[in-house]
Amino acid sequence: MVLNNILNLFFPKLCGACSKPIINCVDELCINCEIHLVYESNPNRTKIPKALRGRVEIEKGVFFIDFTKKEGVQQVLHSIKYQNQKKLAIYLSEELTKKLGATFFETIDVMIPVPLHPKKFKIRGFNQADLIATGIHNCFKIPIDTTSLQRKEFTDSQTKKNRLERWKNVQNAFEVKDKTALNKKHILLLDDVFTTGATLEACIKTIQKEVDCTFSILTLARA
Ligand SMILES: [Zn+2]
């Protein structure tokens, strides 16, 4: 601890969201970002089900951080995606999972992080949705399935696309590798951000074509 504090003087740990030095070297976030991203974030359970109404059936849908409203903290998801902020993603996932509480997870049989194409995984080195799964698993021991659903198509980035383009881009991107593993299960699909929901919709439609199961959705943010 003493060594840590001394090291921290010379090489201060930086906040995962805003990159300002953190004085307390235990956390991944500075106090300001901790307040915005954790303390002030309340699980929103209505907007995802509403956005998917008429498109796919889900049991529950929840996100925590609304980037469509908050200024100044948008950096965090970018950090998680591109600056290898693995610890931050797991930390945020743990903190927000605790806020959501055990009852949300009671009926969930298995978690599936939205898969990345193997090529993209290789470039980035990790899948941010896997880290969210790890955070939840650290709190409630729900099994994580990263093999039954896979990404077969290398899709373009969704960021510059509108809703229709996003849907066309991902509708055939996924395939089910193991039907029996998912049969009759309540699956919690995980992703970092909910934007138009096209990717999650594609996952659900792909699985539902072949397997009898139900779905819920959890993302860290809405953007
Ligand atoms: Zn910060």
Side-chain angles (χ1 to χ4, degrees):
M1 198 60 199
V2 174
L3 179 64
N4 257 347
N5 286 341
I6 292 167
L7 280 175
N8 204 35
L9 273 179
F10 297 102
F11 307 101
K13 189 167 168 177
L14 303 179
C15 169
C18 70
S19 301
K20 287 182 189 142
I22 307 176
I23 297 147
N24 176 348
C25 62
V26 178
D27 292 336
E28 301 302 320
L29 294 170
C30 72
I31 191 67
N32 192 35
C33 292
E34 179 93 24
I35 286 167
H36 282 307
L37 294 171
V38 180
Y39 295 120
E40 289 182 352
S41 299
N42 286 313
N44 182 306
R45 299 162 188 262
T46 57
K47 285 182 177 163
I48 289 178
K50 205 172 161 194
L52 292 174
R53 201 170 294 156
R55 293 159 66 190
V56 283
E57 283 275 331
I58 58 166
E59 305 292 311
K60 299 181 263 193
V62 70
F63 71 87
F64 299 93
I65 304 159
D66 201 338
F67 284 142
T68 60
K69 283 187 195 151
K70 278 178 189 159
E71 298 292 316
V73 287
Q74 284 92 335
Q75 175 104 33
V76 68
L77 290 169
H78 196 267
S79 301
I80 290 172
K81 251 186 182 151
Y82 301 106
Q83 291 168 30
N84 227 354
Q85 286 282 4
K86 292 188 204 176
K87 269 191 187 167
L88 172 61
I90 296 169
Y91 172 76
L92 264 184
S93 175
E94 285 171 356
E95 292 305 305
L96 297 172
T97 295
K98 283 182 223 158
K99 275 197 130 178
L100 186 56
T103 45
F104 180 89
F105 299 94
E106 264 169 11
T107 58
I108 307 292
D109 297 305
V110 64
M111 299 190 282
I112 298 187
V114 170
L116 281 183
H117 190 276
K119 243 196 254 174
K120 222 171 241 178
F121 187 90
K122 221 173 178 185
I123 295 165
R124 201 177 285 162
F126 66 97
N127 177 1
Q128 65 275 15
D130 288 347
L131 306 176
I132 297 166
T134 303
I136 297 170
H137 188 81
N138 290 346
C139 300
F140 308 113
K141 300 287 170 210
I142 301 160
I144 305 168
D145 183 336
T146 56
T147 54
S148 297
L149 180 71
Q150 292 196 351
R151 201 151 189 150
K152 58 176 178 174
E153 274 179 20
F154 190 80
T155 49
D156 300 334
S157 167
Q158 295 276 68
T159 36
K160 296 262 159 60
K161 293 184 166 61
N162 67 30
R163 185 171 150 183
L164 183 66
E165 289 165 341
R166 280 170 184 251
W167 170 245
K168 282 185 179 159
N169 192 35
V170 292
Q171 61 176 329
N172 298 313
F174 301 95
E175 66 181 330
V176 179
K177 285 283 181 191
D178 188 344
K179 292 177 207 174
T180 45
L182 304 179
N183 194 35
K184 305 277 182 205
K185 296 276 164 70
H186 182 179
I187 299 165
L188 181 64
L189 286 169
L190 307 170
D191 210 353
D192 53 351
V193 197
F194 186 94
T195 311
T196 66
T199 307
L200 291 154
E201 182 182 350
C203 290
I204 292 174
K205 284 185 168 157
T206 303
I207 298 171
Q208 253 172 355
K209 252 186 242 167
E210 305 189 56
V211 188
D212 176 19
C213 53
T214 53
F215 298 91
S216 287
I217 289 169
L218 183 150
T219 70
L220 285 189
R222 182 176 83 123

